[in-house]
Amino acid sequence: MQKADITVTGRHVEVTEAIREFAVKKIEAIHIDYPKIIEARVIVDVQKDRQICEIILFCSDHITIEASTVGVDLYAAIDETVTKIMRRMRKHKTRLMKRFRPHRAESIRHLEAQVYGEDVLDYEEGATEDPKPITIHREGYELVTMYKEDAIMALEMSDKPFVLYRNARRDVLQIVYRLPNGDYSIIELGASL
């Protein structure tokens, strides 16, 4: 997990350094790559006959995940709450992956691409050797129909530099990619300015 802002607060109890370190260590141990955790709040509450732990995760794409556990031991309550949080994060990811599962009929067919270097421009017609092309590696890409917001989420989840998709609202091909400043840009294929 990337470094998130983790806050540990207590109700009816002073949060000791041991409790704080345990909670932070447990939150940092979450290794689910989606949704990305931006901020985590851990609230511990010690009452007369029970110990309560509540964890709230603020994640990318405006996702908030909460879980709480009531128990007799505070450390066990923290541990159980982290387990619940991880289960809910996996559900988010599974739901998203099912939604974006590509259909075979919508795949794009690829042709072998070849690019010639700049020296080809100086190529003489009467030369005995043909110029050598640079081979570009082919990679399959499934065309999925989705909304712009879903395409941005798919881009967040992948390590690809762009996502090509068919816009579900307008039925046009679009490419969404991330700008250097972190914003998103969309190219609409076949659109005239």
Side-chain angles (χ1 to χ4, degrees), residues 99-110 139-146 151 154 160 162-166 173-174:
R99 193 171 172 196
F100 291 122
R101 188 170 291 140
H103 301 287
R104 290 197 169 271
E106 296 179 347
S107 66
I108 297 175
R109 307 262 183 245
H110 290 278
E139 184 176 329
Y141 196 93
E142 300 290 330
L143 183 61
V144 179
T145 300
M146 65 177 103
K160 303 235 184 256
F162 67 90
V163 171
L164 170 66
Y165 66 102
R166 180 174 300 283
L173 291 179
Q174 292 183 329

Side-chain angles (χ1 to χ4, degrees), residues 106-133:
E106 296 179 347
S107 66
I108 297 175
R109 307 262 183 245
H110 290 278
L111 301 173
E112 190 70 41
Q114 294 184 338
V115 177
Y116 291 87
E118 289 181 20
D119 56 334
V120 173
L121 297 175
D122 299 330
Y123 179 70
E124 296 176 19
E125 282 190 35
T128 56
E129 279 189 36
D130 288 337
K132 300 285 186 222

Side-chain angles (χ1 to χ4, degrees), residues 10 50 66 92 132 173 183 187:
R50 59 189 186 151
E66 304 179 49
H92 258 287
K132 300 285 186 222
L173 291 179
D183 290 342
I187 298 173

Side-chain angles (χ1 to χ4, degrees), residues 2 32-38 58-60 89 156 178:
Q2 66 185 26
I32 298 174
D33 57 353
Y34 183 83
K36 291 180 183 163
I37 301 170
I38 298 168
F58 298 93
C59 306
S60 61
M89 289 178 78
E156 280 290 320
R178 190 177 296 108

